[in-house]
């Protein structure tokens, strides 16, 4: 059986130091898939959770980590009896692409559906392309599909310097948000969001009550869409406090734990008609992902090509330094994507 190199986890679960590169079989293509030689992959917080055994994988996900990548198509699925196919839909062998996968990007090659990839031009570097799919598709989903954001509305994004919030700040601004507020754990991160990305204002969750600050900044009105990756540690309670009438709270993560610190004020949810909805991207079916990819491609891709949209990269590692890359993400001291370049 043909083999390749991929990042593996000693004993299948463990700390960052359990990561190592080993030889594994090359994935076998199924209908609708292409085999991509991976140039680079992006790190995401779900990778840390999966490595620790805390992330339930969808059934179609391989054991290998990684959901976003850039690379080159080296093979397309061929029906039995029709070997040597070189094209599938608009994609063909040799195309430079980037995209989203259910898993498997921490490897020299990945099998992926054509529904979740896009063609890459030289205007977008391989490093930048590897940092777009997961974060920008998640931000698009959170703001528009789930959060139902409309022009003129105000937005609050927690973890303002995270990859998804960096994307969401720019998406909200380009679609006519009246204000974009963020929370972060340092003044440096807040200044980055405001001065470099164009957020309206930011609040330090370590030293400020963000709900009080939001209400003060909006003259008591609150914000229309809140994207929350924390939920616990008092966040959901404060989200409800600073939500506007008919506000929407989109829960994308549980960095602060599974339970709220204080009882939830159900009355405030009723009075304000607040809608609270949780969402994940990785567990969605291909039809959903195809529609989301198409929305990103139709409405945003040209803004990457002309550099209107920024994809800040904190650091680029060689994938042989995957342990250090995971440790940097665990430090929470980043302002943008962590990217790994794959050797062949």
């Amino acid at each position: 059986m043909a083999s390749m190199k991929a990042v593996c986890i000693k004993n299948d679960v463990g700390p960052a130091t359990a990561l190592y590169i080993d030889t594994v079989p090359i994935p076998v293509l199924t209908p609708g898939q292409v085999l991509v030689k991976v140039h680079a992959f992006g790190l995401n917080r779900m990778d840390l959770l999966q490595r620790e055994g805390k992330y339930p994988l969808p059934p179609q996900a391989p054991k290998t980590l990684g959901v976003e990548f850039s690379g080159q198509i080296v093979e397309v699925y061929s029906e039995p009896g029709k070997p040597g196919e070189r094209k599938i839909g608009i994609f063909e062998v040799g195309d430079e692409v980037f995209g989203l996968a259910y898993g498997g990007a921490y490897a020299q090659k990945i099998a992926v559906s054509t529904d979740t990839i896009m063609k890459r031009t030289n205007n977008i570097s391989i490093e930048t392309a590897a940092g777009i799919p997961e974060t920008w598709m998640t931000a698009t989903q959170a703001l528009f599909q789930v959060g139902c954001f409309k022009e003129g509305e105000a937005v609050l994004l927690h973890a303002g310097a995270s990859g998804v919030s960096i994307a969401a700040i720019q998406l909200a601004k380009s679609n006519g948000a009246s204000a974009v507020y963020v929370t972060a754990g340092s003044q440096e991160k807040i200044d980055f969001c405001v001065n470099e990305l164009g957020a309206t204002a930011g609040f330090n969750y370590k030293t400020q009550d963000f709900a009080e600050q939001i209400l003060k900044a909006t003259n008591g009105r609150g914000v229309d869409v809140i994207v929350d990756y924390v939920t616990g540690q008092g966040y959901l309670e404060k989200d409800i406090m600073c939500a506007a009438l008919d506000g929407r709270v989109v829960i994308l993560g549980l960095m602060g734990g599974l339970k709220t610190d204080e009882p939830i004020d159900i009355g405030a949810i009723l009075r304000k008609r607040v809608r609270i909805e949780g969402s994940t991207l990785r567990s969605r079916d291909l039809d959903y992902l195809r529609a989301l990819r198409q929305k990103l491609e139709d409405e945003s891709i040209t803004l990457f090509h002309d550099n209107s949209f920024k994809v800040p990269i904190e650091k680029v590692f060689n994938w042989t330094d995957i342990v250090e890359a995971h440790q940097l993400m665990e430090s929470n001291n980043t302002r943008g994507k962590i990217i790994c370049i794959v050797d062949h």
Side-chain angles (χ1 to χ4, degrees), residues 205-216:
Y205 64 82
K206 295 179 181 178
T207 61
Q208 296 175 292
D209 183 319
F210 71 79
E212 290 182 1
Q213 296 299 319
I214 288 291
L215 290 172
K216 181 179 179 181

Side-chain angles (χ1 to χ4, degrees), residues 189-233:
K189 289 184 177 181
I190 291 170
D191 290 344
F192 167 71
C193 293
V194 174
N195 298 332
E196 297 188 36
L197 300 176
T200 307
F203 310 108
N204 189 326
Y205 64 82
K206 295 179 181 178
T207 61
Q208 296 175 292
D209 183 319
F210 71 79
E212 290 182 1
Q213 296 299 319
I214 288 291
L215 290 172
K216 181 179 179 181
T218 60
N219 295 318
R221 179 186 179 277
V223 289
D224 302 285
V225 181
I226 301 171
V227 181
D228 189 345
Y229 319 90
V230 186
T231 307
Q233 297 180 354

Side-chain angles (χ1 to χ4, degrees), residues 122-173:
N122 290 333
N123 291 33
I124 305 176
S125 71
I126 61 171
E127 296 87 356
T128 297
I132 291 174
E134 167 64 19
T135 46
W136 285 80
M137 287 175 72
T138 297
T140 298
Q141 177 201 35
L143 280 176
F144 302 106
Q145 260 83 336
V146 183
C148 300
F149 170 81
K150 300 183 292 293
E151 182 179 359
E153 291 188 325
V155 176
L156 168 62
L157 306 167
H158 294 308
S162 68
V164 175
S165 284
I166 287 171
I169 290 169
Q170 297 175 79
L171 284 169
K173 282 176 54 63

